[in-house]
Amino acid sequence: MAAALDDLIFNPGLTVEEAADRHFTPGYRQRTDGTWDDRAGFVEHIGHLRTVVAGGHVVVHDELRDGRKYADRHTVHLTKRDGSALRVEVYAFGDLASDGRFSRVEETTLMIEGAEADRGIGSAR
């Protein structure tokens, strides 16, 4: 998960589509805090993040994989272009395709640090 998020959000050497192709299947679906998105919606979300995020990193605290099932708890540390900081803890559960890419992720986010206006950053567009 950390490698996927690094490529998606923090790697300017890859387009959002290239990063998505590397880590997510064409039929990828994601549910964040109860709202489902298809891959196009997910890519749109990541594109938006790239316009507001100046930098950051991901720390994985717990990670489990059992065959094609995946789960983790990670924290995303973000610095926005306006200089403000944001820290979000994420609990993620997903399915992996036979090639190792994610085909589905369901996640719940918990903002640890940041402005109230940033509470929905996990699905902002």
Side-chain angles (χ1 to χ4, degrees):
M1 182 65 75
L5 292 172
D6 283 341
D7 280 349
L8 286 166
I9 302 170
F10 308 120
N11 186 347
L14 292 175
T15 68
V16 175
E17 281 294 338
E18 289 169 334
D21 287 344
R22 183 178 285 182
H23 299 285
F24 302 90
T25 63
Y28 178 72
R29 290 178 34 98
Q30 179 168 315
R31 185 173 76 165
T32 302
D33 297 327
T35 301
W36 280 103
D37 265 323
D38 59 11
R39 182 174 154 141
F42 172 71
V43 166
E44 181 183 352
H45 162 65
I46 297 301
H48 169 73
L49 285 182
R50 284 192 174 195
T51 68
V52 298
V53 172
H57 65 280
V58 177
V59 176
V60 176
H61 307 288
D62 301 295
E63 186 174 42
L64 301 166
R65 184 173 175 175
D66 184 11
R68 292 190 183 173
K69 296 293 183 185
Y70 178 88
D72 88 357
R73 179 177 65 92
H74 62 272
T75 302
V76 181
H77 299 257
L78 301 173
T79 302
K80 293 174 56 179
R81 293 189 190 278
D82 67 6
S84 62
L86 187 63
R87 192 165 38 115
V88 180
E89 188 168 349
V90 180
Y91 301 84
F93 299 87
D95 293 323
L96 299 165
S98 60
D99 63 5
R101 294 184 297 167
F102 287 100
S103 60
R104 179 193 60 86
V105 169
E106 295 186 46
E107 64 182 23
T108 298
T109 64
L110 173 65
M111 189 169 69
I112 304 297
E113 173 187 354
E116 184 62 31
D118 292 325
R119 189 162 298 280
I121 193 97
S123 57
R125 293 196 184 144

